[in-house]
Amino acid sequence: MSSISLCLLLSSSIFFFISCRSDRKTFLLEGTFKGFNQGELYIYGVDGTHKLDTIGVAKGVFRYEVTLEEPVTFALVFPNFSELPVFGEPQAEVEIEGDASHLKETKISGTDLNETMTSFRLKVSSMTPPEAAQAAESFIKENPASPISLYLLNKYFTQTPKPDYKKAVALITELRKAQPDEPSLKGLAEKMKGLESLKDGATLPNFTAKDINGKTVKSSDLNAPVNVIYTWAKWNYESVSMQRQLTYFMQQHKDKLKALGICVDVDSKGCRQTIEKDSVKWSTVYDGKMWEGPLVQQLGLSYIPDNIVTDSKGKIITHTLKGFELQDKLRELLKDKDTSP
């Protein structure tokens, strides 16, 4: 074969490879992490469109490729359950470089969105939480059409232990003007109504939902002296640990306590496996919609793990407690019920 023919053949092959890749609309994520020799990362689409997947890490190197039809905001979850946002786009390549002991300093490059997000993360890494929230608010107001603004809105104002209802509503209004066709913003607006009603002393909203086995569950089912509604996900250790603690309390107090879990995983298989492994006997609501799920939004739950504690009449006793706080509160409440006539 002549050198000219060989060159033409190679050129055709390269063109064919590029064309096939272009048609497939793949998004490539690869990178290196110092101090993380071997293990797994989790990745999922924050809007629930892409189910939880794993990325193998070998000698600190990893690679992940997925077909995308449209842009997706991913959450990359590390073994310590911290998260990094990654903005995926069809036919884009993104590179991550970081150190497992300094995850906040991780750099993500390859697209404008990821580089802008990296700059913001590095900027706020040394700020106090109020300062970081103020920086997020300023970014959102200056860039209302950016997908980054939607992510920051959730991270700093809705999916937090203490959501800022008033500020979130104002920012959602700004974003909806700039992104009128973004469906998740409409859902967020509805969710704010739930947040407004999630106050100690308020009455739990009436609801009806289906659990993971298709059984109907209702707010009226939670009629024990003490009731707990909580969110959890397989990949979030604190929420799974909280669920295990509830199993212990349930065994000790039986008819004095009822619980309802809401799994915000994107993987029903993993949800079922965890339920079976931990011998969870009460209902778990699962719809695969994560934070877009109607029950989560109706109740104003916005965090993992989030929770609501009510009495037998649906009055909210307390909400959004950390694991040890929830344990202490349940001991206090159940002790009173056990000693009452």
Side-chain angles (χ1 to χ4, degrees):
M1 182 181 292
S2 67
S3 59
I4 295 177
S5 299
L6 181 59
C7 288
L8 287 173
L9 179 60
L10 289 173
S11 298
S12 299
S13 299
I14 293 171
F15 176 78
F16 177 76
F17 172 78
I18 294 174
S19 297
C20 289
R21 177 160 186 162
S22 177
D23 290 342
R24 289 172 56 199
K25 299 181 180 179
T26 56
F27 168 64
L28 176 63
L29 173 67
E30 55 186 355
T32 57
F33 272 101
K34 295 180 181 178
F36 186 8
N37 187 48
Q38 189 169 349
E40 287 185 339
L41 304 172
Y42 290 120
I43 189 169
Y44 66 92
V46 297
D47 63 355
T49 55
H50 282 261
K51 294 187 176 183
L52 187 73
D53 204 352
T54 57
I55 303 175
V57 180
K59 297 182 179 180
V61 178
F62 63 90
R63 176 187 174 92
Y64 180 74
E65 192 168 9
V66 63
T67 299
L68 299 182
E69 294 296 329
E70 56 187 16
V72 174
T73 301
F74 290 102
L76 190 64
V77 187
F78 293 87
N80 66 353
F81 303 106
S82 61
E83 292 187 3
L84 282 178
V86 178
F87 296 91
E89 302 173 34
Q91 302 177 38
E93 296 183 6
V94 168
E95 184 174 357
I96 298 181
E97 182 179 358
D99 188 320
S101 60
H102 299 88
L103 290 177
K104 289 184 178 180
E105 300 173 9
T106 300
K107 295 180 180 179
I108 306 179
S109 60
T111 66
D112 291 341
L113 283 176
N114 285 293
E115 290 170 7
T116 300
M117 186 68 225
T118 295
S119 297
F120 179 85
R121 282 193 298 98
L122 296 178
K123 175 184 174 181
V124 303
S125 62
S126 59
M127 292 183 179
T128 64
E131 290 172 339
Q134 180 59 52
E137 181 182 0
S138 297
F139 184 97
I140 292 169
K141 290 181 176 179
E142 294 170 6
N143 306 275
S146 173
I148 295 175
S149 293
L150 180 56
Y151 172 81
L152 295 179
L153 172 67
N154 283 315
K155 177 175 175 61
Y156 288 97
F157 302 104
T158 66
Q159 293 178 8
T160 67
K162 296 181 179 180
D164 190 330
Y165 166 72
K166 292 183 178 179
K167 190 155 290 184
V169 168
L171 293 174
I172 289 170
T173 301
E174 294 293 321
L175 292 185
R176 292 188 76 178
K177 291 178 182 177
Q179 305 180 49
D181 299 324
E182 175 54 52
S184 60
L185 285 171
K186 182 179 179 181
L188 270 177
E190 292 297 319
K191 186 176 185 178
M192 293 303 102
K193 297 178 182 177
L195 286 173
E196 190 175 23
S197 64
L198 186 58
K199 298 176 181 177
D200 292 355
T203 300
L204 187 73
N206 292 325
F207 65 81
T208 300
K210 295 284 188 181
D211 73 6
I212 196 169
N213 296 314
K215 177 185 175 183
T216 298
V217 293
K218 299 177 292 184
S219 51
S220 58
D221 296 334
L222 299 172
N223 53 13
V226 181
N227 308 275
V228 182
I229 304 172
Y230 63 98
T231 58
W232 67 278
K234 177 184 177 181
W235 46 265
N236 183 275
Y237 175 78
E238 186 180 355
S239 68
V240 174
S241 177
M242 182 179 290
Q243 184 165 247
R244 291 169 182 165
Q245 284 296 323
L246 281 172
T247 301
Y248 168 77
F249 278 106
M250 198 75 74
Q251 292 170 345
Q252 297 296 311
H253 301 279
K254 297 181 180 179
D255 58 338
K256 298 291 193 300
L257 175 65
K258 287 187 176 182
L260 175 65
I262 304 177
C263 179
V264 292
D265 259 318
V266 289
D267 177 16
S268 62
K269 181 179 179 181
C271 180
R272 288 184 183 278
Q273 288 175 342
T274 304
I275 291 171
E276 293 173 3
K277 178 181 177 182
D278 294 339
S279 300
V280 176
K281 303 300 183 183
W282 54 89
S283 287
T284 296
V285 173
Y286 173 83
D287 57 19
K289 297 180 180 179
M290 300 182 70
W291 300 113
E292 304 300 317
L295 184 57
V296 165
Q297 294 192 352
Q298 183 181 0
L299 298 180
L301 295 165
S302 58
Y303 192 67
I304 301 180
D306 205 350
N307 48 74
I308 304 172
V309 181
T310 71
D311 64 13
S312 60
K313 297 181 179 179
K315 180 181 177 181
I316 297 175
I317 300 172
T318 187
H319 70 282
T320 315
L321 300 180
K322 294 183 180 296
F324 67 91
E325 294 173 335
L326 180 62
Q327 291 179 44
D328 290 344
K329 190 63 178 180
L330 289 179
R331 288 192 186 97
E332 172 193 330
L333 293 171
L334 292 168
K335 181 179 180 181
D336 289 343
K337 302 305 178 185
D338 289 339
T339 57
S340 62

